[in-house]
Structures are given as structure tokens and as C-alpha cells.
Amino acid sequence: DGGITQSPKYLFRKEGQNVTLSCEQNLNHDAMYWYRQDPGQGLRLIYYSQIVNDFQKGDIAEGYSVSREKKESFPLTVTSAQKNPTAFYLCASSMGLVYNEQFFGPGTRLTVL
Amino acid sequence: AQKITQTQPGMFVQEKEAVTLDCTYDTSDQSYGLFWYKQPSSGEMIFLIYQGSYDEQNATEGRYSLNFQKARKSANLVISASQLGDSAMYFCAMSFTGGGNKLTFGTGTQLKVEL
């Protein structure tokens, strides 16, 4: 089935450690996105990529990094510079054209111990 | 800058009744898109309905319809014949020309459908 997968579903990290969240899609979508969701809040954009080997910062990129080496994959690294990384992280993809709906993965819940 | 406002943190509706979830937006762009997503307790975001700023007709998708009032900058979601499975968080979102299809989200409305 076509869709977006994120792994792991739950992730625990010690303070000071970097951690990488996986996002893979087989929808042949050009654009991919990372969002962060905090309790009682809407989603906020971290990074997005419209084509391979290119990506742009979103509204809250500080303390995060991404890569887009393949069309299907858009991993997000939460670095030790991110001061409050505990959150729910959602990956999405779309055809990349403006006003196309975004399809979301199941999310990764990151907890910093 | 674009902004989405959802003023209803929580709503209750009885099964089989209709419910309206409010959404207002602020933008200086003439061309934009408005989306509604559903987020069940599992966390995944499910696309429900889309309205383009130049669309003359209100969008409809099954039991979902969007009451689009451009002059008032509102894009309310109407769910008809509510079902228990409609209990979830609902988010209004916007994309705009030049924004690369990025979405700006509101803070959401928690809907609870009761027997």
C-alpha cells in the first residue's frame, strides 16, 4: 500500500544526545515536510523539501537538521542544541504543487529523559 | 504573515446531529488554500476537505462541507449526521502562493460526539 512510514513510534533520548527520526514515502511525492506538535497546540513547520538535495527552514528550525538524498526519504535529526525537544513529530508529503493536500505519517513521540 | 484562529477549544454534539467548527484566517494574499484535517487519538492527521480562495462553490466531501465566507475570512467546517467515530481533534490550515505548499495550522478544536 502507498503511504508514509515513520519510525520509531516512540523514542527516548538522554539530554545532550542527537537522535534521528525516519520518514519514508512511496507515494512518488516531490515535497516532504516535518512538523512538531506540542500538547494542546497546532502543528508547526520545522523543515520542508520540494525536491531532492534541496530543503528550506520552516518556522522553528533551530536545533534541527534534515537531509534529502533520495526522493523517498526525509530524515530529521534532533540535535542537542534543541532546548525543548520533547514533542510529537509528524512527517508529511505532497505532490509539491501549491494547494495540494499533504499526507501525513503516523508520527514519532520523542521524550527527553 | 498568515494566521489561523480556531476559537472553540472543545465542542460537544449528539450523535446524528450536525456541528459547525469555526475557523477564521488572516492573510493579505488574494490566492490561498484552506484545509481541514482530523486527528484521532492515534495521532495521525487525516485530510478532510479543501477550499481554494477563488472557488465559487463551497467544498463538500461526503458528510463534510466547508462554509466559506471570503469577505469575513472564515472557513467553517460543517459535519452532518455526527457519528461516534467523529470524536477527534480538528485542525484548520492554510497554504498560500509563494509558500511552497507549506501549511499554517490553527490550534484545533476537540470534538466529542455523545450518544
Side-chain angles (χ1 to χ4, degrees), chain B residues 10-57:
Chain B
M11 291 279 288
F12 289 90
V13 65
Q14 288 204 313
E15 195 180 21
K16 301 179 185 177
E17 297 292 312
V19 63
T20 297
L21 306 183
D22 294 340
C23 173
T24 58
Y25 58 92
D26 188 18
T27 181
S28 56
D29 291 298
Q30 295 302 309
S31 181
Y32 48 87
L34 294 157
F35 301 80
W36 276 92
Y37 282 85
K38 172 184 178 180
Q39 186 178 42
S41 57
S42 60
E44 189 167 353
M45 298 286 283
I46 302 167
F47 167 74
L48 296 177
I49 196 167
Y50 163 79
Q51 178 86 41
S53 59
Y54 291 115
D55 293 341
E56 294 184 353
Q57 302 278 348

Side-chain angles (χ1 to χ4, degrees), chain A residues 4-55:
Chain A
I4 302 176
T5 57
Q6 291 185 243
S7 61
K9 187 172 182 178
Y10 298 96
L11 188 57
F12 298 90
R13 185 194 99 175
K14 292 183 180 179
E15 279 194 37
Q17 289 181 334
N18 291 357
V19 64
T20 298
L21 282 58
S22 168
C23 177
E24 303 276 333
Q25 56 100 358
N26 61 4
L27 299 168
N28 200 32
H29 285 169
D30 292 312
M32 297 187 74
Y33 313 81
W34 274 106
Y35 293 91
R36 169 182 171 139
Q37 186 178 25
D38 293 286
Q41 303 279 332
L43 279 65
R44 292 182 291 167
L45 182 66
I46 304 172
Y47 267 99
Y48 67 104
S49 168
Q50 293 180 287
I51 56 172
V52 174
N53 293 323
D54 187 49
F55 48 83

